[in-house]
Amino acid sequence: MALRQIREQGDEILRKKSRDVNIDDITAAKNQNLIDDMLETMYHYNGVGLAAVQVGILKQIIVIDVEDGKGPYVLINPQILKTKGEKECEEGCLSFPNKFGKVIRPTEVIVEFYDREGNKVKLKAKDLLAQAVCHEVDHLNGVVFTDLVLPGSLEYVSPKD
Ligand code: NI
């Protein structure tokens, strides 16, 4: 496993759409290594989620860990089938270091995806997991959270040394 470099605000790749992974290739070493590296990178930087585009790879792969005891989740070719509710959430992103803002997210989503073994999975996600799924799926469509922040809510919090 290896840490990957995170693409940050201003990098044009963050605006591009990611491509579907061919489901016959999910278990190929190249994709499995990418997933392992994404997990390592997410944990290293204390993120709750990371999309492949954030490490410069335009593939529909997401990793999430919201410390719910069931993760990490690996979502390949995710499709949000249904959303329910609305909630104001505090949000940040590893591609926008030290920036935080408030966004409206659903309280519940049903998402269908392939896991890293290539199994099709349907998951009902609530609260922080629903928020993370929406945030990361947005990345796959070239959308970043600062596009969605409620006016005046974006803050820069200087890092502690
Ligand atoms: Ni993000």
Side-chain angles (χ1 to χ4, degrees), residues 54 93-94 135-136 139:
Q54 292 180 275
C93 176
L94 292 178
H135 177 111
E136 301 309 332
H139 273 302

Side-chain angles (χ1 to χ4, degrees), residues 49-51 54 91-96 135-136 139 143-145:
L50 190 70
Q54 292 180 275
E91 203 156 301
C93 176
L94 292 178
S95 294
F96 294 77
H135 177 111
E136 301 309 332
H139 273 302
V143 174
V144 293
F145 88 102

Side-chain angles (χ1 to χ4, degrees), residues 1-2 7 15 22 25 48 61 64-67 76 93-94 96 98 106 111 114 121-122 130 134 138-139 146 150 153:
M1 294 212 286
R7 303 298 189 96
R15 291 303 184 184
N22 182 333
D25 295 339
V48 297
I61 301 177
I64 293 173
D65 193 336
V66 292
E67 298 183 337
I76 299 162
C93 176
L94 292 178
F96 294 77
N98 310 310
V111 60
Y114 292 89
V121 177
K122 201 186 268 190
C134 292
D138 279 351
H139 273 302
T146 52
L150 299 175
S153 76

Side-chain angles (χ1 to χ4, degrees), residues 83-95:
T83 67
K84 200 168 125 184
E86 270 191 356
K87 194 180 167 190
E88 197 177 289
C89 307
E90 189 72 28
E91 203 156 301
C93 176
L94 292 178
S95 294

